[in-house]
Amino acid sequence: MSSDKQPDGKKRLESLHGKKIILGITGSIAAYKAAFLLRLLIKAGAEVQVLMTSAAADFIGPVTLATLSKRPVLSDIQSEANWNNHVELGLWADAFIIAPATANTLAKLSSGICDNLLTAVYLSARCPVFAAPAMDVDMWHHPATRRNIRQLQTDGIHLLPVGKGELASGLEGEGRMAEPEEILDFLADFFFAQGKHDPPHSPLSGKRLMLTAGPTYEPLDPVRFLGNRSSGKMGIALADALARRGAKVHLILGPSALRPKENKVEVIHVKTAEEMLQAALRLFPKADAAILAAAVADYKPARVSPEKIKKKGESMTLQLEKTPDIAATLGQQKRPGQYLIGFALETENEKANARSKLQRKNFDFIVLNSLRDPGAGFQTDTNKISILFPGNKARAYELKAKEEVAEDILDTLEELFQNDKAL
Ligand code: C5P
């Protein structure tokens, strides 16, 4: 369906106006459709720089593309001077769309090979990257392509779904490139949604947000501790996404090797649950909302030995005592209009356990991830979540990169701020 037939279609299409887009074309029979996409982008008011591989030039002529884009087409075949453009181009663009993207180019992108201008621009690009795959059905279903696609999704590429039907080989099946109108809609939707998240438009803009993230380490003696495998990645992705939406963010971070990318995020480093609680008690009263993504230890050694514990006998017993429940403490202090969001990582009776935590800790919603879902949980780049609300409502999401999961969670939080409505 084309943009102007959708409700809101005109507004969505307007979001492409003035956008700087690199259109990368690789060597597939679908390359001729890139000319139609180019025409639609130009009509929508975008500035388009075409980039083609030498194989693409076998399928479509650079003169056609240069005429439609009113810019010289860049390709490997041309002078070496183009080669130096890859960094500049990567910084210039608001989006990079590769259409058609062959199995060969997708394989190169997934492993970071840069043996032509297009793949070099990909590695230098700071903008969002989109790809519309085009290949034969068996190539599309080959385990190597499946693996590359998974890797590219993890790396944050936005992949357009392929179409099903008759292929150039004469075979039937999946592998057709998305139609130019569909690609245009996809890009327009992306910029439209991004526009909604611009600081001036986000209900989170100017709000004070407190987050906890990472593990806690509970010392046993000067060299040992009880900890867990949390990487802090989900909480850090949330802190970055909040800063991009214009919120003032305080991130209370347990021992994690990762750091936020946004320099506006203020980080408070802590080690133990007790230190995390003290920082939270200091920051929560002034916060408009708090997101508790830390994997806080539930128990700590009852006694911390001042000296390294010596090896003695065949076994040893550790006496543990409970750590403070930060979430429950803040839940009791929560004032009207203040929001508290929690996480639940479960291995069994997922929904029932998460619902009980939602209630016990007085959360406004809880984000559930189950360790049973492959790709979800600790030390992965992806996550698969459900969001549970008081009452019986729930929303389930697909497996996504943690950065995208963060956007879903913040969209839900925005709804709370926007409408103050019962979800
Ligand atoms: O009870 P459980 O640890 O599974 O609850 C998970 C939620 O509670 C998470 O949001 C976690 O950050 C928070 N929590 C906390 N303090 C604790 C334990 C958990 O804030 N001591």
Side-chain angles (χ1 to χ4, degrees):
M1 182 162 58
S2 100
S3 280
D4 45 15
K5 289 184 204 129
Q6 279 181 2
D8 245 359
K10 204 157 164 249
K11 255 199 241 149
R12 281 168 191 272
L13 214 51
E14 274 169 13
S15 61
L16 283 166
H17 193 91
K19 290 290 182 301
K20 298 186 179 78
I21 294 175
I22 305 173
L23 172 59
I25 306 176
T26 67
S28 150
I29 183 69
Y32 77 92
K33 289 195 200 167
F36 292 94
L37 173 60
L38 172 57
R39 207 165 56 110
L40 292 171
L41 286 168
I42 297 283
K43 239 175 95 182
E47 269 182 73
V48 187
Q49 173 61 60
V50 177
L51 200 65
M52 61 201 296
T53 60
S54 43
D58 294 336
F59 294 93
I60 184 160
V63 179
T64 312
L65 299 165
T67 311
L68 290 171
S69 66
K70 301 187 186 76
R71 281 167 172 263
V73 169
L74 300 178
S75 93
D76 307 319
I77 327 158
Q78 292 166 353
S79 73
E80 275 176 26
N82 285 338
W83 183 256
N84 298 323
N85 285 344
H86 67 92
V87 176
E88 242 170 70
L89 270 173
L91 294 176
W92 169 83
D94 296 311
F96 182 13
I97 163 87
I98 306 168
T102 57
N104 180 47
T105 292
L106 292 173
K108 287 183 192 175
L109 301 184
S110 83
S111 55
I113 292 173
C114 57
D115 60 350
N116 61 33
L117 188 59
L118 189 147
T119 46
V121 169
Y122 170 69
L123 284 190
S124 311
R126 293 201 187 157
C127 60
V129 180
F130 301 80
M135 65 197 76
D136 211 47
V137 57
D138 297 313
M139 296 168 88
W140 176 248
H141 288 294
H142 194 281
T145 307
R146 302 285 89 225
R147 192 168 61 234
N148 293 334
I149 294 281
R150 276 196 303 277
Q151 184 59 50
L152 289 169
Q153 276 169 328
T154 304
D155 293 347
I157 271 206
H158 304 272
L159 282 167
L160 279 103
V162 291
K164 212 173 171 179
E166 196 188 329
L167 299 162
S169 60
L171 295 174
E172 285 269 334
E174 284 180 322
R176 282 170 67 91
M177 186 177 89
E179 293 302 325
E181 289 82 2
E182 289 168 339
I183 303 177
L184 186 83
D185 280 347
F186 200 90
L187 288 172
D189 281 352
F190 177 83
F191 283 118
F192 185 71
Q194 199 184 47
K196 276 202 309 192
H197 299 158
D198 280 349
H201 303 295
S202 169
L204 292 167
S205 176
K207 294 281 186 288
R208 296 175 75 98
L209 262 291
M210 187 204 97
L211 287 108
T212 66
T216 64
Y217 285 180
E218 309 299 332
L220 183 57
D221 68 16
V223 290
R224 303 181 180 100
F225 58 84
L226 294 185
N228 61 66
R229 294 186 197 281
S230 167
S231 63
K233 194 166 175 119
M234 191 63 245
I236 291 174
L238 278 162
D240 278 333
L242 274 164
R244 284 195 295 273
R245 293 191 193 198
K248 293 181 189 131
V249 190
H250 285 101
L251 171 66
I252 307 171
L253 184 60
S256 161
L258 306 174
R259 296 287 176 266
K261 292 193 192 95
E262 301 293 330
N263 52 20
K264 281 199 190 132
V265 174
E266 204 165 306
V267 185
I268 300 102
H269 293 280
V270 295
K271 286 204 182 71
T272 63
E274 184 56 41
E275 288 171 15
M276 192 172 268
L277 173 71
Q278 291 313 321
L281 286 174
R282 188 166 57 77
L283 291 164
F284 189 60
K286 284 201 192 132
D288 296 298
I291 303 180
L292 307 177
V296 186
D298 291 326
Y299 291 91
K300 64 176 184 180
R303 186 178 163 270
V304 183
S305 164
E307 308 299 335
K308 184 178 170 201
I309 299 168
K310 289 267 179 273
K311 191 172 8 179
K312 279 189 280 190
E314 281 310 304
S315 67
M316 123 174 225
T317 308
L318 275 182
Q319 174 90 31
L320 301 179
E321 64 184 35
K322 262 209 160 138
T323 55
D325 190 324
I326 303 165
T329 312
L330 301 185
Q332 279 170 4
Q333 296 189 0
K334 191 172 76 166
R335 42 180 172 76
Q338 208 178 19
Y339 299 114
L340 190 61
I341 315 303
F343 274 74
L345 181 73
E346 304 293 338
T347 55
E348 54 176 351
N349 294 331
E350 293 92 336
K351 287 239 162 82
N353 283 336
R355 285 226 169 270
S356 130
K357 278 176 199 172
L358 174 74
Q359 224 174 6
R360 228 174 36 234
K361 306 194 188 208
N362 198 14
F363 290 145
D364 293 280
F365 64 80
I366 191 161
V367 181
L368 165 65
N369 36 104
S370 164
L371 273 191
R372 286 196 199 185
D373 286 320
F378 279 171
Q379 294 189 330
T380 61
D381 291 328
T382 51
N383 207 355
K384 186 171 185 316
I385 61 156
S386 303
I387 295 185
L388 311 186
F389 302 94
N392 235 349
K393 287 194 188 144
R395 289 179 188 164
Y397 296 83
E398 296 299 307
L399 181 74
K400 295 180 183 185
K402 283 186 173 164
E403 287 76 10
E404 290 179 64
V405 174
E407 301 294 344
D408 289 336
I409 295 169
L410 296 191
D411 285 349
T412 307
L413 182 59
E414 280 194 353
E415 286 177 42
L416 291 183
F417 276 109
Q418 215 163 14
N419 308 327
D420 214 7
K421 71 179 181 193
L423 282 151

